[in-house]
Amino acid sequence: MSVSRFPEGFLWGGATAANQVEGAYNKDGKGLSIFDMVTFVPKEKRGNMAMEVRSEEELNARLNGEMGDNFPKRRGVDFYHRYKEDIALFAEMGFKTYRLSISWPRIFPNGDELEPNEAGLEFYDRVFDELAKYNIEPLVTISHYEMPLHLVQKYNGWEDRRLIEFFVRYAETLFSRYKDKVKYWLTFNEINISSISPYIGSGMLVDHLENREQAIYQALHHQFVASARAVKACHATIPDAKIGCMLARMEVYPETCHPDDVLAALEEDQKNLFYTDVQVRGKYPSYMKKYFKDNHIELKMEPGDEEIIANYPVDFLSFSYYMSMVASGSSDKKKEKGNFFSGVKNPYLEASDWGWQIDPKGMRITMKKMYDRYQVPLFVVENGLGAYDEVEPDGSINDDYRIDYLRAHIDEMGKAIEEGVEVMGYTSWGCIDLISASTSEMSKRYGFIYVDQDDYGNGTLERKKKKSFDWYKKVIATNGADLS
Ligand code: BGP
């Protein structure tokens, strides 16, 4: 067997988010979250994503049940009651880490109260204790699209500066409660999502906004400050912890070598790396200041904001990577739908059933680029293939397409490591089948573990190992040396 390219102690594992797996949306004092309000919409009716709530009227219609009653994220896959069984399966695969998020409204049901909900805290104590039994390190996302709905209704989410205090109180509660159990933290999942979905990224109802872009960047500013304050609090409370940011990374290629296309790709790339420029380098980049000026965006900052961002950058950069994009200098190019973002079709790549253009080499390219730019450790915290799976009459699930996807990406990550990129770990997305973020489908599956449930919540919830389960087990057992 060949020698592993992956460092000793490399954190292999899988990733999920509370809103997509837990269910039990109103149990033990949990408040409603933003994603509890998103209904399932059949494919023919929705295009490629359906997660935005735009106005108070719409929100109320959802609360009153006027928009149907199929809210898949309320049921998840019942991890809340089945976490022991699920963690045992992760342990069987040899996971070194499990990335999960904490549901903010389980801890602070409304988001703005002073005291946390003890029953919510106890649930995660139980989960962390279960992980500890198997020596699985938790990697915790503090906010993964689970803002308490009350913060939308009362404050219009992150548009309001008071959210900083609420978030910091929540984060500090987690740090002091779990300081002996959790050493790896992430502040905001895919912090760049607000530009696509202000509701999911920032809890803002857009119809209420006078100037959408201004509000988005203001909300982001509040998140940057909140994130830096969480970094400060984390280091103060848990000196041996590491805390990172999380970006939905979009590597952008020029459509041709025409300088207009190259420039367009560079500018798209800057739009994506703006977030990590702030969170890793600790300041707003000059190209963004120019963009704000040209677009009449004026951020309201308070004294001390720039200092806190500068003084408390993240320890590492984590990201999701599913595909690459193409930019064209000419504006009339057909757009390809993707993971919340869009670009021009790449004729050299195949796409998934959801139109996401599969590009393993792009992952190496992007890792090299980000490491060159930031010189901090990277952590691949999401990567994977959403696909329809078939259960054969004998009960087996032969997901060779998923193995092919993961193998090719892990191989490219290995090459990036050989070329000197520092990588802490790899957690494939949706290690157990879960509810899709963008479409609320159950039938868009990512897991090594199949869950018997359909888009309407029918099924036994029984867990079954797919073919990829044993494959990933071998990958971990050989520290990535055997990808066959
Ligand atoms: C990321 C999110 C995840 C996840 C993944 C796959 O953007 O952080 O929550 O779901 O994408 O997306 P989807 O579920 O839409 O296929």
Side-chain angles (χ1 to χ4, degrees):
M1 192 198 306
S2 57
V3 175
S4 175
R5 297 167 288 179
F6 296 87
E8 214 179 298
F10 189 78
L11 291 168
W12 295 100
T16 63
N19 74 85
Q20 293 168 269
V21 294
E22 284 180 5
Y25 80 102
N26 57 2
K27 289 276 160 63
D28 301 327
K30 178 183 167 292
L32 284 174
S33 85
I34 46 177
F35 248 151
D36 288 332
M37 303 315 299
V38 174
T39 44
F40 171 75
V41 184
K43 203 166 188 173
E44 49 299 353
K45 291 205 188 145
R46 66 168 152 72
N48 213 21
M49 79 179 208
M51 55 184 187
E52 197 64 356
V53 180
R54 307 182 61 88
S55 67
E56 236 172 281
E57 296 69 48
E58 192 189 332
L59 194 59
N60 288 333
R62 287 167 189 259
L63 280 166
N64 299 333
E66 291 160 36
M67 296 189 61
D69 57 2
N70 190 358
F71 295 97
K73 287 175 180 107
R74 295 185 184 183
R75 57 178 177 263
V77 292
D78 199 30
F79 178 80
Y80 195 77
H81 297 109
R82 294 166 193 253
Y83 66 94
K84 286 191 180 175
E85 182 189 346
D86 295 342
I87 290 171
L89 287 165
F90 301 158
E92 193 182 330
M93 273 186 279
F95 278 22
K96 310 288 181 213
T97 189
Y98 169 46
R99 175 180 176 229
L100 70 163
S101 71
I102 290 184
S103 169
W104 186 350
R106 244 186 234 298
I107 310 301
F108 287 97
N110 285 328
D112 59 358
E113 55 272 84
L114 295 176
E115 295 304 323
N117 170 32
E118 179 58 27
L121 289 166
E122 282 170 11
F123 169 65
Y124 296 103
D125 269 322
R126 293 197 292 277
V127 170
F128 297 143
D129 292 346
E130 196 64 23
L131 290 168
K133 278 193 198 163
Y134 302 101
N135 292 322
I136 299 176
E137 285 283 349
L139 163 61
V140 170
T141 317
I142 298 171
S143 179
H144 193 137
Y145 311 154
E146 289 128 358
M147 176 191 290
L149 187 66
H150 173 76
L151 298 180
V152 178
Q153 295 168 305
K154 184 157 176 201
Y155 304 91
N156 205 36
W158 283 96
E159 192 189 6
D160 193 311
R161 192 177 167 97
R162 284 173 288 183
L163 269 274
I164 298 174
E165 295 311 320
F166 306 148
F167 178 85
V168 172
R169 186 182 304 139
Y170 162 54
E172 283 175 345
T173 304
L174 302 186
F175 299 146
S176 44
R177 175 75 171 219
Y178 305 125
K179 59 178 184 302
D180 298 324
K181 300 182 180 182
V182 181
K183 303 294 173 194
Y184 296 97
W185 299 86
L186 302 174
T187 53
F188 292 95
N189 181 64
E190 297 190 331
I191 191 157
N192 48 326
I193 195 71
S194 290
S195 60
I196 306 301
S197 173
Y199 175 70
I200 291 305
S202 292
M204 297 194 299
L205 302 170
V206 280
D207 287 4
H208 162 103
L209 302 172
E210 262 168 54
N211 178 339
R212 179 188 153 111
E213 248 208 318
Q214 163 83 38
I216 289 174
Y217 284 109
Q218 188 62 52
L220 275 165
H221 177 70
H222 295 150
Q223 291 181 32
F224 289 145
V225 172
S227 178
R229 284 186 53 188
V231 170
K232 182 179 180 191
C234 182
H235 287 158
T237 311
I238 326 175
D240 57 339
K242 291 202 184 313
I243 180 161
C245 58
M246 199 300 200
L247 178 76
R249 178 60 183 140
M250 294 294 137
E251 180 65 38
V252 188
Y253 303 146
E255 189 182 25
T256 71
C257 53
H258 192 294
D260 285 349
D261 289 343
V262 176
L263 189 60
L266 174 76
E267 287 175 353
E268 278 301 310
D269 219 36
Q270 284 181 323
K271 267 193 210 159
N272 185 239
L273 292 173
F274 152 61
Y275 305 85
T276 35
D277 281 355
V278 176
Q279 294 190 288
V280 182
R281 288 173 159 168
K283 59 179 191 204
Y284 277 85
S286 47
Y287 60 83
M288 234 25 220
K289 290 185 177 163
K290 165 115 179 21
Y291 180 85
F292 291 156
K293 196 159 164 239
D294 293 349
N295 291 281
H296 312 291
I297 293 167
E298 279 182 42
L299 294 189
K300 285 190 220 88
M301 292 202 195
E302 287 198 356
D305 282 6
E306 283 176 311
E307 287 72 15
I308 191 104
I309 289 172
N311 292 338
Y312 296 97
V314 289
D315 301 322
F316 65 96
L317 188 173
S318 81
F319 62 98
S320 60
Y321 175 85
Y322 293 91
M323 71 194 85
S324 57
M325 315 297 289
V326 176
S328 161
S330 87
S331 53
D332 58 348
K333 288 286 167 164
K334 190 174 166 291
K335 299 269 178 168
E336 197 62 11
K337 296 257 190 226
N339 174 19
F340 312 138
F341 300 86
S342 54
V344 177
K345 190 167 171 45
N346 186 330
Y348 304 103
L349 300 178
E350 310 240 307
S352 78
D353 286 338
W354 279 260
W356 296 15
Q357 304 184 101
I358 300 169
D359 182 10
K361 207 166 272 176
M363 188 152 105
R364 171 151 55 117
I365 294 168
T366 216
M367 293 178 80
K368 284 165 67 108
K369 189 190 276 184
M370 288 196 290
Y371 191 67
D372 281 352
R373 191 176 180 116
Y374 299 118
Q375 299 284 300
V376 295
L378 305 181
F379 203 141
V380 184
V381 297
E382 282 187 35
N383 172 240
L385 180 69
Y388 296 107
D389 288 333
E390 282 290 328
V391 184
E392 303 295 338
D394 68 355
S396 62
I397 299 139
N398 298 308
D399 56 343
D400 293 288
Y401 37 89
R402 183 167 293 110
I403 295 173
D404 290 346
Y405 179 103
L406 294 170
R407 178 192 291 123
H409 284 79
I410 292 172
D411 186 40
E412 293 295 338
M413 172 172 63
K415 289 180 185 156
I417 291 172
E418 284 180 314
E419 290 162 6
V421 177
E422 215 179 324
V423 189
M424 294 165 67
Y426 174 89
T427 56
S428 77
W429 176 251
C431 44
I432 180 163
D433 289 350
L434 40 65
I435 307 293
S436 155
S438 57
T439 68
S440 293
E441 288 164 293
M442 184 68 216
S443 43
K444 187 180 189 187
R445 296 172 182 274
Y446 287 88
F448 304 113
I449 301 164
Y450 184 90
V451 176
D452 179 27
Q453 179 173 242
D454 70 12
D455 291 335
Y456 298 88
N458 306 307
T460 61
L461 291 169
E462 189 199 339
R463 277 62 171 151
K464 278 186 207 297
K465 297 174 196 171
K466 303 182 195 175
K467 188 171 179 183
S468 55
F469 184 101
D470 287 327
W471 174 81
Y472 197 46
K473 185 175 172 179
K474 180 182 63 188
V475 171
I476 298 177
T478 61
N479 196 23
D482 187 355
L483 301 179
S484 63

